Amino acid sequence: GTVVMVGNFGQGFWAALQSTADAKGPDPIDRWTARALAGLAGWLLLAIVVVVGITAANLAGIRKTAWLTRAIVTVVIAVLAVVIAASASAASTSGVTLVPFDLGTGGVLRSAGLLFFAFAGYARIATLGEEVRDPRRTIPIAIPIALGLTLVIYSAVAVSALLAVGPEALASSAAPLTTAVRASSWDW
């Protein structure tokens, strides 16, 4: 789970970096590539430190790994809370309204499949069941709580981002949450 979160962070960062490329001037791609390569050494060092840190935490045992996972999840939820707040502030001035539409059974099933695989923690519950105190009682309680919290957080992010910039802007963006946050009046 921790490695997946680091990978998702890397993908999100790369998409955000790509979306910030300056499109002004004769050759924006070359300027963007030069800026990206100039910062690559620092990010490579950070990636090495993160991998060594995660490896050390895994070697330290399940208690240290669980603590590290809780810390990472706390940071991710805090960042998503800021995204929700910033997008919600943009939503009040965007004039975008959500219109319900019928996806049909196929659309609901496709969405459910995406959400199931996006929730990487579900598989971790089964593999780490032996590490839990009283798994017969704890796991049946943990699964609906985790799925419910994930549903609430995903829904809040999706609705606030959609209201901030609309579905067309999100669909055409390489970094949709960055686009939604930039629409806010917050000074970044």
Side-chain angles (χ1 to χ4, degrees), residues 21-89:
D22 184 10
K24 297 177 184 167
D27 200 355
I29 294 176
D30 285 345
R31 283 199 319 271
W32 177 84
T33 305
R35 284 195 313 266
L37 290 176
L40 186 61
W43 288 109
L44 182 59
L45 179 62
L46 176 63
I48 291 170
V49 168
V50 167
V51 168
V52 168
I54 289 172
T55 302
N58 282 330
L59 291 175
I62 192 72
R63 291 188 195 278
K64 297 291 184 198
T65 305
W67 179 87
L68 178 63
T69 301
R70 279 193 296 270
I72 291 171
V73 168
T74 300
V75 169
V76 169
I77 290 174
V79 169
L80 289 175
V82 170
V83 167
I84 292 167
S87 298
S89 74

Side-chain angles (χ1 to χ4, degrees), residues 61-155:
I62 192 72
R63 291 188 195 278
K64 297 291 184 198
T65 305
W67 179 87
L68 178 63
T69 301
R70 279 193 296 270
I72 291 171
V73 168
T74 300
V75 169
V76 169
I77 290 174
V79 169
L80 289 175
V82 170
V83 167
I84 292 167
S87 298
S89 74
S92 64
T93 60
S94 71
V96 175
T97 58
L98 296 181
V99 178
F101 58 96
D102 184 21
L103 291 174
T105 305
V108 171
L109 291 175
R110 282 192 300 273
S111 299
L114 286 173
L115 287 176
F116 178 80
F117 287 106
F119 181 54
Y122 186 75
R124 304 302 300 163
I125 292 172
T127 58
L128 293 174
E130 63 190 31
E131 304 291 338
V132 176
R133 286 186 211 124
D134 193 13
R136 287 184 190 264
R137 184 179 81 66
T138 306
I139 292 176
I141 293 171
I143 290 174
I145 291 172
L147 288 173
L149 287 172
T150 302
L151 175 68
V152 168
I153 292 169
Y154 276 35
S155 298

